[in-house]
Amino acid sequence: MLPVMAEAFVNLILYVLMRPEIRKDQRLFDNAFRQPIDVRIRSLSINCLGFKQQPDYASDQCGAYQTLYIESND
């Protein structure tokens, strides 16, 4: 259940903090939500306001989440 809840949280962040220029363009808006979860997390600083730097997807926490996510898909 954790991968589903984490993905929903990332989608909430995208929806609430998305840059206005992306929100206004339907194709860019749809594209932001259709990306694989790791790409969505890595591009939060690009697509959203309020991030000073890109999230560190090489961290242990993100690695553990990615492993859990892959295992749940299998």
Side-chain angles (χ1 to χ4, degrees):
M1 194 66 182
L2 180 64
V4 174
M5 293 182 348
E7 187 169 0
F9 180 70
V10 171
N11 288 341
L12 176 66
I13 291 172
L14 269 170
Y15 188 77
V16 172
L17 300 177
M18 186 173 283
R19 294 183 181 276
E21 57 271 17
I22 296 174
R23 186 179 301 279
K24 290 177 185 175
D25 188 326
Q26 189 63 44
R27 287 183 50 87
L28 290 176
F29 182 85
D30 292 342
N31 182 57
F33 289 98
R34 290 185 179 149
Q35 297 294 324
I37 188 66
D38 62 318
V39 175
R40 274 184 267 167
I41 293 170
R42 291 175 186 172
S43 63
L44 284 173
S45 62
I46 298 168
N47 293 329
C48 298
L49 298 171
F51 284 85
K52 291 184 178 180
Q53 62 187 11
Q54 179 178 353
D56 181 17
Y57 204 78
S59 69
D60 292 338
Q61 294 86 355
C62 287
Y65 170 74
Q66 187 68 27
T67 300
L68 183 63
Y69 186 79
I70 290 170
E71 289 176 4
S72 72
N73 284 341
D74 291 342

